[in-house]
């Protein structure tokens, strides 16, 4: 294996990238009010805003597109997807949706209830938004090691803290908790995995109190790979055996297929509970499309059927996690503070440690996003004071989040390690000159604070 550590694929089609000048980028930034979401993608050199829907499909996926059966009901493509998803999840009932948040919507309608608690490691925004609209109380109970951006090693920083979960059950009563949602990997704190032991123990505790367990499985294969690499007893277990065991502990799973499904669009709602499935089918008919296409075209279903299998290939997962680690290691060489160990889908830079002179009220991680784009045309995303900040409902006083990071999300099978070097070298330079940077002022946020990072406007201080 000594000579076989590079990409387990070769490149058949390329997409040209535009290189801009620093002067041009300063103009683009001004026009975008210093919000990376508002930049035009054509003006980005290496796009690390997200790993969602940005994967390169394989030749097998592209050829599967031609097999797409576009029949309204009972199309052939659905049965291929059903078989593939059953194989990965080990669960019987499969409802496609147009993307992950549509599955979140259906799941929230079924499992979130007004005035009831929804426990999670760290809920992703789209479930949280749905839950809050329904009046549910979404709480994050990730273990303390995962609640802070730090370089302290823990193999499974996405784990749920069982003591916190038990305390809520004792304090509020099991009848006031409607669901536990485990997000694998945990996106908000660094793409950090959840161990099999934790999934099992959370499930046992929940079952004891009749609380259903749901797994948000956007990055299920990356999580399974970390279990194989880091958890005792799984070294020789094939990835799909691991995924099937993970899902044996839950009633229902949602998936944004735009991540480990290796497709540009798609989602899944999967369950072992027939009654839940029937409700999901009707919600899908009302909001997504008929049961067997759920808002996707036949060709999308075909690409996902193939992509789910490719996402679980061990050689791919080894390359994938190694590329993320490579970027993390290069950044560490420059002394750049990152969340360690690196997770599945990106490197998260600690904004507070990077710019200690910039308080959270002046958005240090957002400042870093702007600096990185200005320096090298690389687009990352803030996950800190802007994205997770909130306001006291009574006084309107700002509440700053514990986590203050810039996420550099790595698209699947898209960039080479030379692109990783561009990112690392640029951040290394910014880090050398870090003292000269000042913060930012939020000048526009829109009505819904929890969604402001998509549309916010800033000025440089
Ligand atoms: N769950 C998780 C854990 C996610 O990361 C996402 C999307 C969703 C659900 C929603 O899925 O986008 O298909 O509707 N995360 C993207 C990101 C947007 O950049 O992390 P979707």
């Amino acid at each position: 294996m000594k000579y076989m550590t590079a990409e387990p694929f070769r490149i058949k089609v390329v997409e040209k990238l535009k290189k801009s000048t620093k002067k041009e980028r300063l103009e683009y930034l001004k026009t975008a009010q210093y919000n990376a979401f508002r930049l035009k993608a054509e003006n980005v050199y290496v796009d690390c805003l997200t790993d969602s829907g940005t994967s390169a499909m394989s030749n097998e996926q592209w050829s599967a597109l031609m097999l797409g059966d576009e029949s309204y009901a009972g199309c052939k493509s659905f049965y291929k997807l059903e078989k593939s998803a059953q194989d990965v999840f080990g669960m019987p009932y499969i409802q496609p949706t147009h993307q992950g948040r549509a599955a979140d919507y259906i799941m929230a309608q079924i499992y979130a209830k007004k005035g009831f608690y929804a426990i999670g490691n760290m809920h992703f925004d789209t479930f949280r938004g749905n839950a809050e609209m329904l009046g549910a109380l979404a709480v994050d109970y990730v273990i303390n090691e995962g609640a802070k951006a730090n370089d302290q090693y823990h193999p499974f920083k996405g784990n749920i803290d069982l003591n916190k979960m038990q305390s809520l059950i004792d304090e509020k009563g099991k009848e006031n908790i409607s669901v536990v949602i485990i997000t694998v990997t945990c996106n908000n704190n660094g793409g950090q995995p959840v161990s099999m032991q934790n999934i099992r123990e959370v499930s046992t505790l929940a079952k004891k109190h009749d609380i259903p367990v749901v797994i948000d499985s956007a990055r299920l294969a990356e999580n399974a790979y970390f279990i194989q690499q880091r958890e005792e007893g799984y070294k020789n277990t094939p990835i799909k055996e691991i995924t099937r065991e993970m899902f044996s502990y839950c009633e229902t799973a949602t998936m944004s297929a735009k991540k480990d499904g290796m497709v540009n669009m798609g989602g899944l709602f999967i369950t072992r509970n027939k009654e839940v499935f029937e409700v999901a089918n009707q919600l899908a008919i009302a909001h997504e499309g008929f049961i067997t296409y759920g808002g996707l075209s036949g060709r999308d279903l075909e690409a996902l059927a193939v992509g789910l299998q490719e996402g679980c290939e061990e050689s791919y997962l080894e390359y994938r996690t190694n590329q993320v680690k490579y970027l993390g290691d290069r950044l560490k060489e420059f002394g750049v503070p990152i969340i360690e160990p690196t997770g599945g889908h990106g490197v998260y830079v600690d904004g507070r440690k990077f710019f200690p002179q910039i308080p959270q009220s002046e958005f240090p991680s957002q400042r870093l996003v702007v600096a990185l784009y200005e320096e090298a045309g690389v687009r990352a995303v803030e996950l800190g004071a802007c994205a997770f900040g909130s306001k006291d409902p009574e006084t309107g006083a700002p509440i700053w989040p514990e986590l203050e990071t810039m996420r550099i999300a790595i698209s699947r099978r898209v960039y080479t390690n030379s692109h990783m070097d561009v990112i690392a070298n640029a951040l290394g330079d910014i880090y050398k000159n870090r003292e000269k940077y000042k913060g930012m002022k939020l000048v526009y946020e829109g009505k819904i604070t929890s969604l402001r990072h998509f549309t916010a406007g800033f000025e440089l201080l």
Side-chain angles (χ1 to χ4, degrees), residues 37 48-53 97-104 122-127 182-188 216-219 254-259 264-268 345 348 381 383 407 409 453-454:
F37 283 99
C48 299
L49 184 75
T50 181
D51 62 317
S52 182
T97 60
H98 83 274
Q99 64 181 85
R101 65 200 66 187
D104 284 341
M122 295 185 88
H123 292 293
F124 186 70
D125 330 10
T126 49
F127 170 76
I182 312 172
T183 300
V184 299
T185 59
C186 186
N187 183 3
N188 289 4
D216 176 342
S217 54
R219 300 176 181 87
T254 55
M255 181 183 196
S256 165
K258 299 168 72 173
K259 284 82 168 172
N264 305 117
M265 195 47 73
L268 295 169
H345 65 289
Y348 290 55
V381 74
L383 293 180
R407 178 182 78 172
H453 76 295
F454 297 107

Side-chain angles (χ1 to χ4, degrees), residues 7 17 19 45-46 323 326-327 330 378 414-426:
E7 284 79 355
L17 296 174
K19 292 189 182 180
Y45 177 46
V46 183
Q323 184 171 49
Y326 173 80
L327 175 59
R330 291 281 346 261
V378 175
V414 169
Y415 293 114
T416 66
N417 281 7
S418 307
H419 293 108
M420 300 302 115
D421 287 337
V422 168
I423 303 170
N425 294 339

Side-chain angles (χ1 to χ4, degrees), residues 136-251:
L137 308 162
V139 291
D140 288 346
Y141 284 170
V142 74
I143 55 169
N144 290 336
E145 291 88 336
K148 286 201 168 85
N150 61 38
D151 54 7
Q152 189 192 332
Y153 184 84
H154 186 292
F156 294 103
K157 285 186 173 178
N159 283 356
I160 287 187
D161 188 324
L162 288 151
N163 293 326
K164 290 185 199 164
M165 185 171 153
Q166 182 68 60
S167 302
L168 191 78
I169 296 170
D170 295 342
E171 243 171 68
K172 305 289 176 189
K174 64 174 188 177
E175 63 285 357
N176 289 310
I177 302 166
S178 68
V179 66
V180 180
I181 300 169
I182 312 172
T183 300
V184 299
T185 59
C186 186
N187 183 3
N188 289 4
N189 75 347
Q192 298 292 320
V194 182
S195 70
M196 191 72 87
Q197 186 184 343
N198 190 253
I199 299 175
R200 196 183 303 124
E201 288 174 356
V202 166
S203 164
T204 305
L205 180 57
K207 242 186 223 138
K208 193 171 138 200
H209 298 284
D210 298 319
I211 305 167
V213 174
V214 171
I215 300 184
D216 176 342
S217 54
R219 300 176 181 87
L220 80 164
E222 288 166 6
N223 200 88
Y225 186 71
F226 285 124
I227 288 176
Q228 189 195 57
Q229 297 300 307
R230 294 181 186 168
E231 191 162 348
E232 219 184 293
Y234 291 92
K235 201 168 70 176
N236 299 315
T237 314
I239 295 297
K240 284 193 282 182
E241 260 178 53
I242 297 176
T243 55
R244 289 193 286 255
E245 184 183 340
M246 282 160 52
F247 294 100
S248 72
Y249 301 118
C250 69
E251 175 173 274

